[in-house]
Amino acid sequence: MSQDLFAFHGEQQRRRMAPLADRMRPRNLDEFEGQSGILAEGRLLRRAIAADRVGNVILHGPPGVGKTTLARIIANHTRAHFSSLNAVLAGVKDLRTEVDAARLRLERHGLRTILFIDEVHRFNSAQQDALLPWVENGTVTLIGATTENPYFEVNKALVSRSCLFRLTPLEPDDLHQLLQRAIDDPERGYGQQTVQLSEEAASHLVDVAGGDARSLLNALELAVESSELDEQGAIQIDLAIAEESIQQRAVLYDKHGDAHYDTISAFIKSLRGSDADAALFWLARMVEAGENPRFIFRRMLIAAGEDVGLADPQAVVVVEACAAAFDRVGLPEGLYPLAQAAIYLAGAEKSNSVLGFFDALKTVRAANRQDVPSHLRDANRDGAAFGDGAGYRYPHAYAEHWVEQQYLPSLLQGEVFWQPGHLGWEGERRERMAERRAAQLAAAAELAVEQPLLLSSGPDSPAVDRWIQRQLGQEGERLNRLRQRLWQGVSWQRTDRVLLVGMRSLLWAIDPLAKVPEGGVTLLAASEEDRLRLEAQLDLLDAERRPKVLGGEHEALNELLPEHNFEWIGGRLGALDLQQPHRSELWSCLADRCTANTRLRLLVSRPEAGPATALLHTLRLSGKSQSTNQPALKTLLDEEQRWLSGLKGPAKQLKKLGWQLDEEDWNETLDLGGGAALEQRWLAEGSAYRLAMQAVDQTVLEELRPMLRQNSEPGLALPMHHQLLTGRYQATKKSPG
């Protein structure tokens, strides 16, 4: 009995001597401040405590927010036996002792056991595994408390069997109430003394405590216990005393915990969001907490590539230079280059266009055919035997050190991986890249329009493919020159509405798309196939710059509203367009879409000779004209001339419709390669040339075959005629009625 009396007296003495933070622990939920997110009336945890049905629970959050206190409140409310362990001091033996006792209570008395383990993350993996079977079979109900993220520091099996509740730092209002309660409580606080706390002192204590109730009460206790009574017998705590009692805010930061990852995440996102002030704040927090500056530099180097990228290629250089400077000078002066790198990244233009690499990576993993184009292969090993490297065009030999050429595998032509942004270094090059891409995609379509008898569908052949690629390489450069000539000297208005006809590629739309952002561009495709090709190429453009695409020529104009007129009509027509049977109907329909001063820019290109005519002309020049006197070939030449004579430009009809036109004509010569590849391309069954020459005896075509095969060098010279039509529509527009 005397032992119990001494024990009781010792407990009472311990309570009186306990720190204020321990004495002021809330005894029930009504005294518990904060955590309304999980303990407000009607919340799950509050209902479970009231009903004494608390299951396995893990409470996690920073120090001083009430984890241990909440566990003790649960102990005061439960009818189950409550036991507690501290993971810092306990081991597997202590766990087994508690579990054995819990099993006996359950078997003999039907009494449940709640086992509270403080700092549960301090248990190693073996200790947590030893606890798992008894939690799983219900021998004990676990309440764990931890300052770490349980998903990283607690056994996954324990986490999956528990409800996780996150406790957050207390709000200032909660801390003010706690402060006042400690001053007023006569039993556990300073209610039996006269403590007068100024408003400034209270605000300072709450602010520096940073949501930590324990830190706040410790500071109050130090202030009260170290201050003398004044003449009225009161303890006066002003701002100066408060500042001495809690001089520095504790920075909650664990290099391997949530604070580490959360803070570096906030820092990187501040850089990405171009907020230099926030970036400096999170940087200072990491430095103050002792984070390794080299880790911060590594993350900034990643951000320089991922978030700044090619909007400012110097970002990587600056961060690397600052990292080298830090290594040279060390701390504390090394904080200057550390902050300099952060501010530079925050202020730099942003782009994540380098992520296009990962799109390319996905394509590499998914694409079936990834053969290197023949002209890009190494010619040093077996180029002579297999033709590797033949046809490669050396960019430095051309103007601006660039020439249109296929670099992607054939099946991936037209794929776009790098989408340059609008800002900084890449923004300055964005338009030029779009032009070059459009030229690459346009070459095949436009050459087919200009010379439909040359690029018709034929049998698959590597030799033919190589010939086509050489032709397309020449075409990209030549078409760009024609595009510049088409739009040269045009005075655009930003609100102009532009209609482009005969469209098979975006090449001819580059200039108006850039100049009339507030008006708009409409593309009129000759066929559904052309419309689909244009839709695919539109992926190269920003959504706001994409033009409206109509298919089906003049019938498609009916899709537009009646009042939708155009200030400009333009485009480029090739041989394939000129032989369309309903072309005259198009010009009549366009007249209804003109204003009183609609202007015209139309480039008309047509061949002056057919393939056979060009071949025989070349043979005459080379002295190999023995075949030109064969009577059968004269029929073939006559048929080509008949086809060419039907390729009439629209100038005459446009003048009849009210257009005032100026005509500019010029000629150029296309250099075409000859040989077996060209022979196969022209004379294959089903080719466009054979179809156009179907009125000619087929034996005549066969006589052309050896002549083409023998003419591999120097190739063919094909004359072309271009006509640029410019003018203004001056006819009186009829009223809608």
Side-chain angles (χ1 to χ4, degrees):
M1 186 71 176
S2 60
Q3 186 177 4
D4 291 341
L5 180 61
F6 282 120
F8 176 78
H9 180 74
E11 178 64 19
Q12 292 295 104
Q13 185 71 7
R14 187 199 66 77
R15 289 184 179 180
R16 285 194 298 269
M17 299 297 294
L20 177 64
D22 187 66
R23 300 199 308 268
M24 290 300 300
R25 282 188 188 275
R27 294 164 294 191
N28 52 56
L29 290 177
D30 293 332
E31 294 181 357
F32 196 92
E33 297 292 347
Q35 313 305 335
S36 59
I38 61 174
L39 288 174
E41 197 66 44
R43 298 286 188 184
L44 171 64
L45 185 56
R46 192 180 189 103
R47 297 200 314 269
I49 294 172
D52 193 18
R53 299 300 300 171
V54 177
N56 298 316
V57 170
I58 295 179
L59 307 171
H60 68 104
V65 297
K67 299 183 297 297
T68 303
T69 298
L70 185 56
R72 292 187 178 183
I73 290 175
I74 294 174
N76 293 336
H77 282 73
T78 184
R79 290 182 294 274
H81 180 80
F82 189 90
S83 299
S84 64
L85 291 175
N86 190 305
V88 177
L89 304 174
V92 173
K93 180 180 178 181
D94 302 297
L95 272 178
R96 288 175 178 168
T97 300
E98 291 293 342
V99 167
D100 289 341
R103 187 172 64 248
L104 288 176
R105 280 190 291 270
L106 187 62
E107 293 173 352
R108 295 179 180 179
H109 308 292
L111 184 63
R112 296 183 300 113
T113 299
I114 294 179
L115 178 60
F116 171 64
I117 302 179
D118 202 5
E119 306 292 341
V120 66
H121 65 277
R122 295 297 188 95
F123 271 164
N124 59 35
S125 179
Q127 291 169 318
Q128 293 183 31
D129 288 341
L131 179 62
L132 179 61
W134 312 113
V135 171
E136 189 167 16
N137 65 21
T139 300
V140 295
T141 298
L142 173 67
I143 298 180
T146 175
T147 56
E148 302 298 325
N149 190 329
Y151 288 105
F152 293 104
E153 302 296 337
V154 180
N155 186 306
K156 289 182 173 58
L158 283 179
V159 170
S160 69
R161 289 162 175 79
S162 306
C163 288
L164 271 60
F165 292 98
R166 182 175 185 177
L167 281 71
T168 58
L170 274 65
E171 296 294 331
D173 288 345
D174 299 324
L175 292 177
H176 275 291
Q177 293 182 24
L178 187 59
L179 198 61
Q180 194 61 45
R181 183 184 301 158
I183 293 175
D184 296 340
D185 192 312
E187 180 184 349
R188 298 176 295 162
Y190 296 114
Q192 296 182 0
Q193 304 179 49
T194 303
V195 177
Q196 296 181 354
L197 181 67
S198 71
E199 184 176 341
E200 294 82 3
S203 296
H204 177 77
L205 293 175
V206 167
D207 178 57
V208 180
D212 185 338
R214 184 182 296 109
S215 176
L216 175 73
L217 294 176
N218 287 342
L220 176 64
E221 182 178 25
L222 179 60
V224 172
E225 300 296 339
S226 61
S227 299
E228 297 181 357
L229 299 176
D230 63 8
E231 296 177 356
Q232 287 77 32
I235 297 176
Q236 300 288 343
I237 300 177
D238 56 16
L239 179 59
I241 295 175
E243 289 176 342
E244 292 177 351
S245 301
I246 184 168
Q247 297 181 0
Q248 185 174 355
R249 186 192 310 273
V251 178
L252 301 177
Y253 196 88
D254 185 335
K255 294 182 183 179
H256 304 288
D258 274 2
H260 166 78
Y261 295 104
D262 290 344
T263 307
I264 193 65
S265 175
F267 174 64
I268 295 300
K269 289 172 181 174
S270 299
L271 296 178
R272 184 181 300 142
S274 300
D275 191 330
D277 299 314
L280 287 178
F281 172 80
W282 297 118
L283 176 64
R285 174 167 174 164
M286 288 187 288
V287 170
E288 182 69 11
E291 182 62 82
N292 188 342
R294 290 178 178 83
F295 165 75
I296 302 174
F297 272 118
R298 286 197 299 272
R299 293 303 302 266
M300 285 197 287
L301 276 172
I302 295 171
E306 179 183 357
D307 297 317
V308 177
L310 292 173
D312 186 352
Q314 286 297 311
V316 171
V317 179
V318 170
V319 175
E320 180 63 26
C322 288
F326 177 88
D327 284 338
R328 177 168 294 186
V329 302
L331 289 172
E333 290 84 357
L335 294 177
Y336 289 113
L338 182 66
Q340 179 181 349
I343 294 171
Y344 188 94
L345 291 181
E349 301 286 8
K350 302 298 189 297
S351 170
N352 65 347
S353 65
V354 294
L355 294 181
F357 167 76
F358 298 98
D359 293 331
L361 201 58
K362 292 178 183 177
T363 302
V364 167
R365 293 167 178 169
N368 294 323
R369 295 289 301 276
Q370 303 176 18
D371 299 334
V372 176
S374 175
H375 62 287
L376 299 184
R377 294 176 185 169
D378 180 14
N380 295 320
R381 295 173 299 151
D382 47 17
F386 297 101
D388 290 348
Y392 172 68
R393 298 163 66 79
Y394 188 59
H396 297 298
Y398 296 87
E400 298 184 1
H401 301 267
W402 179 84
V403 60
E404 193 283 327
Q405 189 166 217
Q406 176 190 1
Y407 293 103
L408 279 170
S410 298
L411 293 180
L412 297 180
Q413 277 296 92
E415 287 286 344
V416 176
F417 300 115
W418 181 48
Q419 292 279 15
H422 295 277
L423 304 176
W425 180 88
E426 65 181 5
E428 297 170 359
R429 289 153 180 82
R430 179 183 176 85
E431 185 174 344
R432 184 170 62 183
M433 290 293 299
E435 290 180 8
R436 290 178 175 178
R437 281 172 171 167
Q440 289 173 327
L441 292 176
E446 297 296 338
L447 187 58
V449 175
E450 193 172 75
Q451 285 293 336
L453 301 187
L454 298 183
L455 287 182
S456 56
S457 58
D460 293 333
S461 166
V464 173
D465 289 340
R466 285 197 296 271
W467 179 83
I468 292 173
Q469 291 307 323
R470 285 196 296 271
Q471 288 304 117
L472 298 187
Q474 298 169 2
E475 280 302 291
E477 184 179 356
R478 189 178 69 89
L479 290 171
N480 258 324
R481 291 197 300 268
L482 289 176
R483 173 184 66 82
Q484 294 168 2
R485 191 160 185 172
L486 170 62
W487 300 116
Q488 185 177 6
V490 172
S491 297
W492 302 98
Q493 300 296 322
R494 293 176 61 86
T495 56
D496 284 343
R497 294 164 295 179
V498 181
L499 175 66
L500 301 179
V501 300
M503 293 300 293
R504 287 175 170 82
S505 76
L506 289 180
L507 180 67
W508 314 104
I510 289 175
D511 297 77
L513 283 172
K515 301 296 184 180
V516 295
E518 298 168 17
V521 178
T522 301
L523 309 182
L524 194 57
S527 66
E528 182 64 16
E529 179 183 355
D530 293 326
R531 186 187 68 80
L532 294 176
R533 183 189 301 113
L534 288 170
E535 293 283 2
Q537 294 180 28
L538 288 179
D539 290 338
L540 292 173
L541 301 178
D542 298 329
E544 64 272 13
R545 289 186 60 193
R546 292 178 186 174
K548 183 177 181 62
V549 182
L550 303 177
E553 285 292 354
H554 65 279
E555 297 93 344
L557 291 174
N558 296 327
E559 299 179 23
L560 302 176
L561 295 174
E563 61 272 15
H564 193 145
N565 298 323
F566 298 96
E567 283 73 36
W568 281 95
I569 292 177
R572 196 260 186 144
L573 303 178
L576 195 60
D577 298 300
L578 297 179
Q579 64 189 38
Q580 294 292 329
H582 304 294
R583 180 63 55 177
S584 59
E585 299 176 17
L586 171 64
W587 307 123
S588 298
C589 292
L590 289 181
D592 294 332
R593 296 288 179 176
C594 294
T595 67
N597 291 299
T598 295
R599 286 153 292 182
L600 179 75
R601 281 272 175 161
L602 196 63
L603 177 63
V604 182
S605 302
R606 58 182 177 82
E608 293 277 87
T613 306
L615 172 65
L616 294 178
H617 177 70
T618 302
L619 292 175
R620 289 192 188 101
L621 293 177
S622 62
K624 302 177 182 179
S625 57
Q626 67 274 11
S627 299
T628 60
N629 296 321
Q630 296 181 16
L633 287 182
K634 186 177 186 304
T635 305
L636 181 61
L637 301 180
D638 291 341
E639 186 65 19
E640 284 189 357
Q641 289 303 314
R642 183 195 62 78
W643 173 72
L644 290 171
S645 64
L647 304 179
K648 301 294 185 182
K652 184 180 294 186
Q653 185 177 3
L654 290 172
K655 290 177 180 179
K656 289 181 179 180
L657 292 171
W659 290 90
Q660 297 292 324
L661 296 181
D662 292 322
E663 303 174 27
E664 180 185 355
D665 296 86
W666 72 95
N667 296 315
E668 73 168 332
T669 301
L670 297 185
D671 295 324
L672 304 177
L678 195 58
E679 167 213 339
Q680 189 178 20
R681 195 72 188 175
W682 284 354
L683 301 180
E685 289 295 334
S687 69
Y689 185 70
R690 294 194 77 125
L691 292 176
M693 301 294 111
Q694 57 186 349
V696 178
D697 189 339
Q698 297 301 300
T699 59
V700 176
L701 292 175
E702 293 303 317
E703 293 183 30
L704 186 61
R705 198 178 285 276
M707 300 168 64
L708 291 171
R709 189 182 306 116
Q710 295 167 8
N711 193 59
S712 57
E713 295 291 342
L716 300 181
L718 191 69
M720 293 289 300
H721 178 79
H722 299 290
Q723 184 180 57
L724 178 61
L725 301 177
T726 60
R728 187 183 298 270
Y729 186 72
Q730 293 186 345
T732 303
K733 187 167 176 64
K734 298 178 181 179
S735 63

